[in-house]
Amino acid sequence: MTRLEPPQMAERLAQDIPDGSYVNLGIGMPVMVANYVPEGREVIYHSENGILGVGPTPEPGTEDPDLINAAKQYVTLIKGGCYFDTADSFAMMRGGHLDIAVLGGFQVSADGNLANWATDNEKYPPAVGGAMDLSVGAKTVYVLMRHTTKAGEPKILDACTYPLTGTGVVSRIYTDLAVLEITDEGPRVVELFGDNSFEDVQAVTGTRLLPPA
Amino acid sequence: MTRLEPPQMAERLAQDIPDGSYVNLGIGMPVMVANYVPEGREVIYHSENGILGVGPTPEPGTEDPDLINAAKQYVTLIKGGCYFDTADSFAMMRGGHLDIAVLGGFQVSADGNLANWATDNEKYPPAVGGAMDLSVGAKTVYVLMRHTTKAGEPKILDACTYPLTGTGVVSRIYTDLAVLEITDEGPRVVELFGDNSFEDVQAVTGTRLLPPA
Amino acid sequence: MIDKRVASLREAIAGIKSGAAVMIGGFGSSGIPFELIEALRLHGADDLTVISNNAGSHEIGIATLLRDRLVRKVVCTYPRSQGSVWFEKLYEEGAIELELMPQGTFAERMRAAGAGLGGFFTPTGYGTKLAEGKETREIDGVGYVLEPPLKADVALIKAHKGDKWGNLAYNTAGRNFNPVMAMAADMTIAEVEHIVELGELDPESVATPGIFVDRVVAQEGIV
Amino acid sequence: MIDKRVASLREAIAGIKSGAAVMIGGFGSSGIPFELIEALRLHGADDLTVISNNAGSHEIGIATLLRDRLVRKVVCTYPRSQGSVWFEKLYEEGAIELELMPQGTFAERMRAAGAGLGGFFTPTGYGTKLAEGKETREIDGVGYVLEPPLKADVALIKAHKGDKWGNLAYNTAGRNFNPVMAMAADMTIAEVEHIVELGELDPESVATPGIFVDRVVAQEGIV
């Protein structure tokens, strides 16, 4: 079975970021997407700590200690970018002004529920950050995650077993095996990577998939 | 009976604006208060259209067309002043950050209700502006108004007959005859102007007054 | 490529339909998109709902929309400015609908719409005629009124400077309602005194980030 | 005369009592009032409720308040940053209480407190564990959670520049939670890199007007 590595997964998703989009990339694999958006497309990245127009990593020695992204890495501001406070930043998110949020995921359900902030480990302190706001706020939510857990358990399920981040929020799932779209009838496979067959993907999925149209 | 003219009324009220106060002066008689604050007191004036640090009228020919106060008169910005949008300006008001609002009044009730935005003339279009927000928001609300209407009708009443601006919001009333404080027991006369007697003032008031303590 | 500049006022207001709810920025004569209003008047759409703090005065700005009877309803806080003869005339005739609310509630309702909130409890107006028929609640001994978000199809706003991404900076008190309206409308159109190069605006004093703006047009000097 | 400058960090945090609810600005390492936190640690108050986006990491900032067991409760959105060993240790021990909420709700609740609102309906968290026990409502087909304002006794914030009236300007993304916290606390104390003359700050880029600030102190280089 063909399994994309994270950079390839990010690269595949990046093809679906249109020119002129306002995009928020979640912590982890999602931030890699910025590296692969095709040339010629102008995309403006939002960071929930109050930046619109996040630019690349600064040259060593030129870091501004206050200028970090949501993952707390040093970044720069592109020409035409601007700053605002967190309340304004989340107004931007919650108010439906961002075109796309790319989020990581622990689990996605057949009806587009997302679980990506807490597991069922009660001892480990929970942390939510901006995930819930992004999931309900962005016009389109893409989830970028492996198709299964390291142990091979399916992450696309009839219903999430982990605590939910948002309900009915996911539009598409980009995994290492395929691209799936959440439709009213359930998840539909819209692209199979390499020589993966629909049956291969269905076999490692915890809910019934619809075949490519 | 001694009846102060508006400038004298404003001058009397101005004595009660402490050094270091943040103050909003309503349209009409209240704006005159700024002319009489004793020298040596630093007072910062707020205007609800988004100014903190309203300064005096500009020299002719130096007006900034955008720089007006709530009464739509040209003003200036003092050194140390700043600008913000209306949502932030009313957050400042409603959130209890202003020390004093000086408002005009049609009527004030014994329990501190204020009516200052509409009469009972149904044909005339109503207008409210920022009066309601100021009345509930400022830490202290002073009403500056004549003691009676032009026709001699009392304006300080058991209950307002005009539509209310806010309930239980008034701390003090500065009229042309006296200064009154709203207490839990009702309005108390705290100062009589000139040779006005308590009985003189009671006679033109529509609710029972408490004598000076 | 992101370029929100349009070449003319006519292009700027293209597509506004009869029956639209239109927010118009400004307070008194400060921060008003006078040229966009004039373009809207000439555009031909009618049956408009105008959402603006004032209802126009004399023969300029919003008053001209009223005079030409293009407006069905006004949503505002202070329709009765000096010289607001057209509003008063139409109101007396019963030819215009008025929805009046406190100024802070007006601004906050637009912010709520822009921020994706379903409503908020404000103490303003509690116990008054303007809260009649509204849900109220006492919280920690204070009375509050529940107010819903206030959206529009279009916002016409005015800024001092704008760039091709729609970032806007204002002049002094010209900001007023413009930033919240920019957030609260499906389409936001900004009239600016100067279009500047990308990067020319100080990123710390952009009061309206470009994400809230759809079209930017330079003044043509038509009013 | 309005002069909110105080001469030392020690004076800046004077009066903070044990049991106080203390907001602390910053996100990650950006816009954090590290020197005020250190002064608070040395000040002696304990049983504190700390309201801050993160719960500190390694041996700096909020983590030192936790390490010295001065904190009873943390109200935050993301306590589990890299190196947040003290929070994790105390949490495991059951020695610290945690109130967790989504980051936008956190910011908006503080803004509501500062703006005098009684609460708001947000779609964030609807249908999730973080809405359990909260009032919810469906409005126009969307589910919302009612969230109350979030106040504090004291806010410790960090700005780039400040003047004697308490006007503050920030550096790049150092703004984050500092402006809303300044509005939401009974007493707001600002640590600034530079104290500047009145009038030196651009009135268009004062992100926190002085009315929200009670004390301004210059950094002393103690951390």
Side-chain angles (χ1 to χ4, degrees):
Chain A
M1 204 145 68
T2 299
R3 286 194 181 277
L4 302 192
E5 288 304 308
Q8 295 169 288
M9 291 166 65
E11 186 173 7
R12 172 59 195 86
L13 192 151
Q15 308 312 308
D16 293 352
I17 307 280
D19 185 32
S21 308
Y22 291 95
V23 177
N24 185 296
L25 300 176
I27 297 175
M29 223 191 299
V31 292
M32 298 171 70
V33 169
N35 301 331
Y36 299 103
V37 171
E39 271 194 55
R41 295 191 198 170
E42 202 162 58
V43 173
I44 300 183
Y45 297 102
H46 170 267
S47 185
E48 52 258 51
N49 53 319
I51 313 171
L52 197 61
V54 178
T57 307
E59 295 296 316
T62 69
E63 297 88 353
D64 171 343
D66 289 320
L67 189 43
I68 59 174
N69 64 13
K72 287 139 195 170
Q73 298 155 327
Y74 290 118
V75 293
T76 49
L77 186 76
I78 59 169
K79 204 157 67 163
C82 62
Y83 304 109
F84 30 83
D85 71 31
T86 313
D88 287 348
S89 185
F90 279 80
M92 211 175 269
M93 291 156 72
R94 204 192 302 105
H97 305 283
L98 289 174
D99 297 304
I100 299 171
V102 182
L103 299 173
F106 295 155
Q107 299 176 332
V108 176
S109 75
D111 50 354
N113 292 351
L114 171 66
N116 79 345
W117 70 280
T119 62
D120 44 15
N121 180 346
E122 291 282 333
K123 202 176 158 194
Y124 202 56
V128 64
M132 287 189 179
D133 300 275
L134 270 174
S135 79
V136 301
K139 283 178 198 142
T140 304
V141 172
Y142 291 156
V143 171
L144 183 63
M145 67 176 193
R146 287 186 195 277
H147 209 94
T148 59
T149 66
K150 279 183 191 156
E153 299 291 321
K155 298 176 70 172
I156 302 169
L157 304 166
D158 288 331
C160 299
T161 60
Y162 289 162
L164 295 183
T165 304
T167 58
V169 295
V170 177
S171 293
R172 283 185 160 217
I173 314 169
Y174 294 78
T175 78
D176 46 347
L177 304 182
V179 180
L180 300 93
E181 187 156 292
I182 303 292
T183 73
D184 290 346
E185 290 77 42
R188 175 182 300 282
V189 174
V190 294
E191 191 177 324
L192 291 159
F193 298 147
D195 54 2
N196 295 340
S197 70
F198 176 77
E199 290 69 28
D200 288 341
V201 173
Q202 176 66 77
V204 292
T205 303
T207 189
R208 205 176 63 81
L209 299 178
L210 299 166
Chain B
M1 205 145 67
T2 300
R3 285 194 182 277
L4 302 192
E5 288 304 308
Q8 295 169 288
M9 292 166 66
E11 186 173 6
R12 172 59 195 88
L13 192 151
Q15 308 312 306
D16 292 353
I17 307 280
D19 185 33
S21 309
Y22 291 95
V23 177
N24 184 297
L25 301 176
I27 297 175
M29 223 190 298
V31 291
M32 299 172 68
V33 169
N35 302 330
Y36 299 104
V37 171
E39 271 193 55
R41 295 191 197 171
E42 201 162 57
V43 174
I44 300 183
Y45 297 102
H46 170 266
S47 185
E48 51 259 50
N49 53 321
I51 313 170
L52 197 63
V54 178
T57 307
E59 295 296 318
T62 69
E63 298 89 352
D64 172 343
D66 289 321
L67 190 41
I68 60 175
N69 64 13
K72 286 140 195 170
Q73 300 155 326
Y74 291 118
V75 294
T76 50
L77 186 77
I78 59 169
K79 204 157 66 164
C82 61
Y83 304 109
F84 30 83
D85 72 31
T86 314
D88 286 349
S89 185
F90 279 80
M92 211 175 268
M93 291 156 71
R94 203 194 301 106
H97 305 283
L98 289 174
D99 296 304
I100 298 172
V102 182
L103 299 174
F106 295 154
Q107 299 176 332
V108 176
S109 75
D111 51 354
N113 292 351
L114 171 65
N116 79 344
W117 70 281
T119 62
D120 44 15
N121 179 346
E122 289 283 332
K123 204 176 156 194
Y124 201 56
V128 63
M132 287 190 179
D133 301 276
L134 269 173
S135 79
V136 301
K139 282 178 199 144
T140 304
V141 172
Y142 290 157
V143 172
L144 183 63
M145 67 175 192
R146 288 184 194 277
H147 209 93
T148 59
T149 66
K150 280 180 190 158
E153 299 291 321
K155 298 176 69 171
I156 301 169
L157 304 166
D158 287 332
C160 299
T161 61
Y162 289 162
L164 296 183
T165 305
T167 59
V169 294
V170 178
S171 293
R172 282 184 161 218
I173 314 170
Y174 294 79
T175 77
D176 45 347
L177 305 182
V179 180
L180 300 93
E181 186 155 293
I182 303 291
T183 72
D184 288 344
E185 289 79 41
R188 175 181 302 280
V189 173
V190 294
E191 190 176 324
L192 291 158
F193 298 148
D195 53 3
N196 295 341
S197 71
F198 177 76
E199 291 69 26
D200 289 340
V201 172
Q202 177 67 76
V204 292
T205 302
T207 189
R208 204 177 65 79
L209 299 178
L210 300 167
Chain C
M1 284 292 294
I2 302 178
D3 192 346
K4 300 177 180 181
R5 292 172 298 180
V6 293
S8 68
L9 290 163
R10 180 200 284 251
E11 253 180 85
I13 50 89
I16 299 182
K17 294 200 175 69
S18 289
V22 182
M23 291 176 173
I24 301 181
F27 178 93
S29 60
S30 166
I32 299 231
F34 281 113
E35 300 204 357
L36 284 173
I37 296 170
E38 177 63 2
L40 176 61
R41 186 180 73 79
L42 299 171
H43 169 62
D46 62 7
D47 195 34
L48 300 172
T49 294
V50 166
I51 301 167
S52 193
N53 188 59
N54 305 110
S57 64
H58 304 291
E59 302 281 332
I60 54 166
I62 294 173
T64 65
L65 303 177
L66 269 57
R67 182 195 63 203
D68 289 7
R69 301 195 180 249
L70 303 175
V71 181
R72 182 177 61 77
K73 181 179 176 182
V74 169
V75 179
C76 75
T77 87
Y78 212 84
R80 209 181 56 210
S81 299
Q82 227 188 355
S84 55
V85 287
W86 281 106
F87 177 77
E88 284 174 35
K89 185 173 154 60
L90 268 59
Y91 187 81
E92 223 173 279
E93 274 181 33
I96 198 158
E97 208 181 314
L98 170 67
E99 185 180 343
L100 189 80
M101 70 195 74
Q103 199 168 131
T105 300
F106 181 62
E108 193 66 19
R109 285 184 59 190
M110 294 189 282
R111 182 185 176 278
L117 302 175
F120 56 90
F121 284 102
T122 178
T124 304
Y126 182 80
T128 77
K129 206 169 134 178
L130 294 188
E132 275 171 22
K134 300 200 169 189
E135 182 175 334
T136 60
R137 185 180 295 203
E138 220 177 88
I139 305 169
D140 293 335
V142 178
Y144 292 89
V145 186
L146 178 63
E147 294 284 355
L150 176 61
K151 295 172 204 278
D153 299 305
V154 180
L156 306 184
I157 65 169
K158 159 78 200 309
H160 183 49
K161 293 179 180 174
D163 65 27
K164 67 174 180 176
W165 283 3
N167 293 307
L168 303 177
Y170 299 89
N171 175 52
T172 66
R175 226 183 269 204
N176 56 63
F177 297 93
N178 289 300
V180 280
M181 287 181 175
M183 296 168 69
D186 288 339
M187 182 166 65
T188 295
I189 308 168
E191 166 186 331
V192 301
E193 287 167 54
H194 308 284
I195 290 185
V196 300
E197 290 300 311
L198 208 61
E200 228 178 277
L201 298 174
D202 173 7
E204 314 271 0
S205 34
V206 168
T208 296
I211 194 171
F212 297 126
V213 177
D214 298 282
R215 298 178 188 168
V216 178
V217 65
Q219 289 183 333
E220 295 178 5
I222 64 161
V223 284
Chain D
M1 284 291 294
I2 302 178
D3 192 346
K4 300 178 180 179
R5 292 172 299 180
V6 294
S8 68
L9 289 163
R10 179 200 284 253
E11 253 180 85
I13 51 90
I16 298 180
K17 294 200 174 70
S18 289
V22 182
M23 289 175 175
I24 301 181
F27 178 94
S29 59
S30 166
I32 299 229
F34 282 113
E35 301 203 357
L36 284 172
I37 296 169
E38 177 63 2
L40 176 61
R41 187 180 73 80
L42 299 171
H43 170 63
D46 61 7
D47 194 34
L48 301 172
T49 293
V50 167
I51 301 167
S52 193
N53 188 60
N54 305 111
S57 64
H58 304 291
E59 301 281 333
I60 54 166
I62 294 172
T64 65
L65 303 178
L66 269 57
R67 181 196 63 203
D68 289 7
R69 303 196 179 245
L70 303 174
V71 182
R72 182 177 60 78
K73 181 180 176 181
V74 169
V75 179
C76 75
T77 86
Y78 213 85
R80 209 181 55 209
S81 299
Q82 225 188 357
S84 55
V85 287
W86 282 106
F87 176 78
E88 284 172 38
K89 183 173 155 64
L90 269 59
Y91 187 82
E92 222 172 283
E93 273 182 31
I96 197 155
E97 207 180 317
L98 170 66
E99 184 182 344
L100 189 79
M101 70 195 75
Q103 200 169 129
T105 300
F106 181 63
E108 194 66 19
R109 285 184 59 189
M110 295 189 281
R111 182 184 176 279
L117 302 176
F120 57 90
F121 285 101
T122 178
T124 304
Y126 183 80
T128 77
K129 205 169 137 180
L130 294 187
E132 273 170 23
K134 301 202 169 190
E135 182 176 334
T136 60
R137 184 179 294 204
E138 219 178 271
I139 304 169
D140 293 335
V142 177
Y144 292 89
V145 185
L146 179 62
E147 293 285 355
L150 177 61
K151 297 171 203 277
D153 300 305
V154 181
L156 306 183
I157 65 170
K158 158 79 200 309
H160 183 51
K161 293 179 180 176
D163 65 26
K164 68 174 178 177
W165 284 3
N167 293 307
L168 303 177
Y170 298 89
N171 175 51
T172 67
R175 226 182 267 206
N176 56 62
F177 298 93
N178 290 299
V180 282
M181 288 181 175
M183 297 168 69
D186 289 340
M187 182 167 64
T188 295
I189 308 167
E191 166 186 332
V192 301
E193 286 166 56
H194 308 284
I195 290 183
V196 299
E197 289 301 311
L198 207 61
E200 226 177 282
L201 297 175
D202 173 7
E204 315 270 0
S205 34
V206 168
T208 295
I211 194 170
F212 297 126
V213 177
D214 298 281
R215 297 178 188 168
V216 179
V217 66
Q219 289 183 334
E220 295 178 3
I222 63 161
V223 283

